[in-house]
Amino acid sequence: METLQKCARRTINRKQDNRSRLLSMLGVAGLAMAPAIASAATPPQQASAGNEPSQPKTADTTRRPNVVIILLDDMGYADMGSFGSEIKTPNLDSLAKDGVRFTNFYTHASSSPTRSMLLSGVDTHLNGLGNMNEYTAPNQMGIDGYEGYLNDRVVTLPQLLKESGYHTYMVGKWHMGKAPDRIPAARGFERDFSLLDGAGSYWDMTSFTGASPRSTFTEDGRYLSSLPKNYYATKTYTDKMIKFIDENHGDGKPFFAYVSHQAPHDPFHLPKEWRGRHVGEYDRGWDPVRQERLKRQIELGIMPAGTQLAERMWFLPDPIVLAPAAKMLLGKKMELYVGMMENLDFHIGRLIDHLKKIGEYENTIFIVFGDNGAEGNDLFKMIAGTPGTRDFLYAAMKWSNTDPNAWGEPGSYVGYGAMWAQASMTPFSQYKGWVAEGGIRNALIVSGPAVKRTKGSLNNGLMHVADLMPTLLEIAGASYPKTRDGRDVPPLIGKSWVQMLAGGAESPRNEKDFLAWEIFGNRAVRQGDWKIRWEFKPFGKGDWELYNVASDPGERKDLAAANPEKLKALLALWDSYVKANNVIVPSRSIFEALEDELPQRVPVEAGYPPLLYERQFVPPKDMMAEPKKP
């Protein structure tokens, strides 16, 4: 018996040594306990039933990488310099230079659904965010998967990383539950400083509605009665994360840092010295900015040559027809947004510099992206409602600092509107809340020791935010359980990036894999180069549309009528997605009356109608004359 046991141990050790050599070749040396790399066609490996961690809770003798996820709230695809923007983002661009930019990365169309998939790896309709809690439809209430918070049927990424020997830290926006069993400390974070709401003031605890006038914060699992002295969200979040890292630095354990910034979500609040850096630069309007960004994207290789911009939204004017005062005021809104982005980049730079100072930068994987498309909806109007209502009165009392010279101060509320959101989402159609590319496609940067591709390179592989769970578990040497606390755990929907990051594949997905979305009743499926979408009128047709988003990223040409077989095949995938994930299309939607509120949709074509662009006729000078005398 003893001989058999020794043989068995030698066999197990040989298998672990072979696995270590394989992972070392892929650029993740030291992960001898990591699960086998998942193929693009199969789900990630699951651990055996039970809650046993795959790593001892003591510090490892090998040096596993730290992980920093930098999530930017409502940042547009084209808002970083490395993705074609004129905005100065040197620190974010430095991560792109050291790593890889990914051009076909998808999130969800709104905040909490994206965050729920990031931290669970499970589809929103199973993890509790089948709809945002703010807009749960009557037919979704009380249904599993539509709780409006990250439910207890899922296990979270920080829980599994913590059990495998990582420190787990979070700062910034949570937006996935406020009760004691739903806050970051209850879902795997050992340290946190978190805004539990979806948005709020950057200066204080002022929230948006009369029923809920005060934002809720936690620090290390305790609800805060007040905020730190000299609080400013972006700076304070950075200060706290640096402190968390420092207090455990040197104990031999790696860390997982979830830096969930509130910026650049509206209201555009920022210190005075960051507000006036681009005065007048955006008075030229949104169309020139979109054109300039697309030109840079093509030069950088972000978009292929010949890419066309999506149509300007039909209810927006060509900025050339606006009066100077209107151009100035609308341009000032974009100036504030740019200030938000540059201030955000500055504080991200502080974190990067600190990790370099303490010797952790080279051993840290950075993952940077926005949580959804840029915000083109009038969120303040949606919150405040109509005159005579409680929330309208509250908005008049708490958010009445409307003088343009005070924009950015406490009590001011500035968003930049659909026109600038389209610029942020160059070259795509639409923006946050919608499942056109402008609502769900995001810029992604990954850098650090797991990345063995050429520094500064681009990748066009089809990727999804739910991929983060299997990817980071594999890098950390942790496994995903089949059960948790005696209950089955929903399956992961993502694909590991480890092989792709190491240069062993161009995409984590094969030609048969597909992605699907549903939120607020809007829905979509993408497989390969093809995508179908169903959106409420007038943004959509109230019917399924078909696009080849590889050749037509602006979704300008609906190919449904010309390709009925392709449409049929993708609709079959939609049906399978609905069945597998208990998708309940809402009976009510925030967009249900939009067709009545907006002007009738018409095509937008350059130079039409000519009347708007016709200049004063100037006759030849040699043909000018004074009138003849009677």
Side-chain angles (χ1 to χ4, degrees):
M1 178 66 71
E2 183 178 355
T3 302
L4 289 174
Q5 289 174 338
K6 288 181 179 179
C7 289
R9 280 196 295 270
R10 283 197 296 271
T11 300
I12 292 170
N13 289 337
R14 280 198 299 272
K15 288 181 178 179
Q16 290 179 344
D17 289 343
N18 290 338
R19 182 174 290 176
S20 296
R21 284 193 290 272
L22 174 61
L23 290 170
S24 179
M25 287 189 293
L26 292 175
V28 284
L31 309 187
M33 300 289 288
I37 295 170
S39 72
T42 59
Q45 177 177 327
Q46 291 187 318
S48 59
N51 297 328
E52 297 82 3
S54 61
Q55 291 279 358
K57 293 187 179 181
T58 55
D60 289 323
T61 55
T62 56
R63 195 163 183 237
R64 293 181 290 170
N66 308 310
V67 177
V68 175
I69 293 179
I70 300 175
L71 184 63
L72 308 179
D73 199 350
D74 291 357
M75 180 189 73
Y77 185 91
D79 281 337
M80 292 187 285
S82 54
F83 277 80
S85 181
E86 74 291 341
I87 300 173
K88 298 177 178 64
T89 55
N91 295 296
L92 290 166
D93 296 344
S94 73
L95 295 178
K97 186 177 180 180
D98 272 355
V100 180
R101 288 162 292 165
F102 296 89
T103 65
N104 268 299
F105 172 69
Y106 286 92
T107 59
H108 218 307
S110 197
S111 172
S112 51
T114 290
R115 293 158 199 273
S116 72
M117 290 193 291
L118 187 167
L119 294 184
S120 74
V122 172
D123 186 80
T124 56
H125 302 89
L126 298 178
N127 70 28
L129 271 300
N131 203 339
M132 297 179 71
N133 73 299
E134 297 92 338
Y135 302 109
T136 306
N139 66 325
Q140 297 170 332
M141 292 181 180
I143 305 296
D144 289 349
Y146 297 83
E147 293 89 347
Y149 57 85
L150 191 63
N151 64 36
D152 60 6
R153 286 181 292 280
V154 299
V155 58
T156 70
L157 178 61
Q159 284 173 324
L160 296 176
L161 291 181
K162 187 177 181 181
E163 290 169 1
S164 71
Y166 271 70
H167 289 299
T168 55
Y169 312 134
M170 181 197 162
V171 295
K173 173 176 159 179
W174 177 245
H175 203 195
M176 289 182 292
K178 296 181 182 180
D181 60 342
R182 301 168 192 167
I183 61 178
R187 303 315 302 261
F189 288 104
E190 64 180 271
R191 302 294 306 274
D192 83 281
F193 183 91
S194 304
L195 167 67
L196 301 186
D197 300 84
S201 172
Y202 286 69
W203 299 110
D204 51 40
M205 285 181 154
T206 305
S207 191
F208 294 144
T209 68
S212 182
R214 181 181 170 89
S215 296
T216 307
F217 288 79
T218 60
E219 185 168 22
D220 296 340
R222 308 290 291 181
Y223 296 91
L224 292 182
S225 58
S226 62
L227 293 173
K229 186 178 180 181
N230 298 321
Y231 173 83
Y232 174 69
T234 311
K235 177 182 183 299
T236 302
Y237 297 154
T238 307
D239 293 343
K240 292 289 184 180
M241 182 55 76
I242 289 172
K243 182 180 179 183
F244 295 164
I245 292 169
D246 281 354
E247 288 182 351
N248 287 318
H249 186 239
D251 67 1
K253 294 176 67 172
F255 62 82
F256 169 62
Y258 177 39
V259 186
S260 179
H261 276 294
Q262 188 176 340
H265 193 297
D266 56 1
F268 298 160
H269 286 170
L270 66 165
K272 192 170 185 177
E273 62 270 22
W274 289 89
R275 297 178 206 160
R277 299 186 172 209
H278 301 281
V279 174
E281 291 181 20
Y282 292 92
D283 292 2
R284 65 190 188 278
W286 35 93
D287 280 3
V289 172
R290 292 176 74 210
Q291 292 157 4
E292 291 160 9
R293 289 189 179 189
L294 177 58
K295 182 175 183 292
R296 283 190 292 270
Q297 287 176 335
I298 292 172
E299 291 169 352
L300 291 168
I302 301 292
M303 287 292 147
T307 296
Q308 288 185 288
L309 286 170
E311 286 185 14
R312 180 185 352 106
M313 306 297 284
W314 74 97
F315 54 86
L316 299 173
D318 184 330
I320 200 172
V321 306
L322 295 178
K327 285 185 178 181
M328 181 187 69
L329 282 175
L330 294 173
K332 187 177 179 66
K333 292 185 175 185
M334 186 59 172
E335 293 169 25
L336 288 170
Y337 180 82
V338 171
M340 293 283 287
M341 280 295 302
E342 293 183 351
N343 176 269
L344 177 60
D345 182 82
F346 168 78
H347 288 291
I348 289 170
R350 290 177 54 217
L351 177 59
I352 292 171
D353 290 344
H354 187 74
L355 293 178
K356 289 179 178 179
K357 180 180 177 181
I358 64 175
E360 293 292 344
Y361 176 81
E362 296 297 332
N363 193 45
T364 299
I365 297 167
F366 291 89
I367 302 169
V368 181
F369 60 97
D371 64 343
N372 43 243
E375 178 63 275
N377 305 289
D378 190 339
L379 183 59
F380 187 65
K381 181 181 178 182
M382 292 169 65
I383 293 167
T386 56
T389 63
R390 175 202 64 202
D391 291 336
F392 192 89
L393 176 62
Y394 178 82
M397 293 168 58
K398 296 294 185 179
W399 296 97
S400 59
N401 201 356
T402 57
D403 187 328
N405 293 319
W407 286 356
E409 294 283 351
S412 65
Y413 196 110
V414 179
Y416 64 178
M419 62 289 288
W420 293 117
Q422 269 208 290
S424 284
M425 293 312 300
T426 302
F428 304 129
S429 174
Q430 304 175 22
Y431 38 73
K432 177 181 175 181
W434 301 89
V435 292
E437 295 293 276
I440 57 178
R441 194 153 156 188
N442 281 270
L444 170 69
I445 297 169
V446 183
S447 69
V451 181
K452 300 302 178 184
R453 307 183 77 91
T454 303
K455 288 187 175 182
S457 63
L458 296 166
N459 177 273
N460 300 318
L462 189 57
M463 300 163 72
H464 191 268
V465 65
D467 298 341
L468 286 168
M469 172 73 101
T471 301
L472 295 179
L473 291 182
E474 185 169 347
I475 286 172
S479 298
Y480 186 73
K482 291 182 179 179
T483 64
R484 185 83 174 179
D485 300 325
R487 291 183 294 190
D488 290 341
V489 175
L492 295 179
I493 61 171
K495 306 286 185 179
S496 174
W497 298 344
V498 169
Q499 188 176 2
M500 183 199 61
L501 293 175
E506 287 305 303
S507 174
R509 287 175 171 78
N510 62 31
E511 66 280 359
K512 293 184 179 180
D513 292 323
F514 70 97
L515 304 173
W517 297 261
E518 185 280 320
I519 187 71
F520 311 134
N522 294 323
R523 56 211 91 147
V525 174
R526 177 169 177 179
Q527 184 184 49
D529 294 343
W530 292 90
K531 175 184 172 185
I532 56 171
R533 75 180 199 207
W534 189 106
E535 295 185 315
F536 281 97
K537 294 180 180 179
F539 278 45
K541 298 179 179 180
D543 199 356
W544 289 99
E545 305 166 50
L546 173 68
Y547 298 95
N548 185 312
V549 289
S551 61
D552 180 22
E555 295 169 291
R556 296 180 65 98
K557 188 173 182 181
D558 178 9
L559 301 172
N563 292 270
E565 291 304 312
K566 175 59 70 174
L567 176 63
K568 181 179 178 181
L570 292 178
L571 285 174
L573 295 179
W574 166 254
D575 290 340
S576 69
Y577 170 71
V578 169
K579 184 177 180 180
N581 295 283
N582 190 34
V583 176
I584 299 173
V585 176
S587 57
R588 300 292 306 275
S589 172
I590 55 175
F591 300 128
E592 63 191 7
L594 198 59
E595 187 177 19
D596 297 326
E597 298 173 9
L598 290 175
Q600 182 178 352
R601 183 171 179 175
V602 294
V604 176
E605 299 182 68
Y608 182 84
L611 172 65
L612 297 178
Y613 302 92
E614 186 176 354
R615 299 283 183 173
Q616 173 65 50
F617 176 72
V618 179
K621 288 185 178 180
D622 60 354
M623 295 185 68
M624 297 291 293
E626 294 294 327
K628 294 181 179 179
K629 293 181 180 180

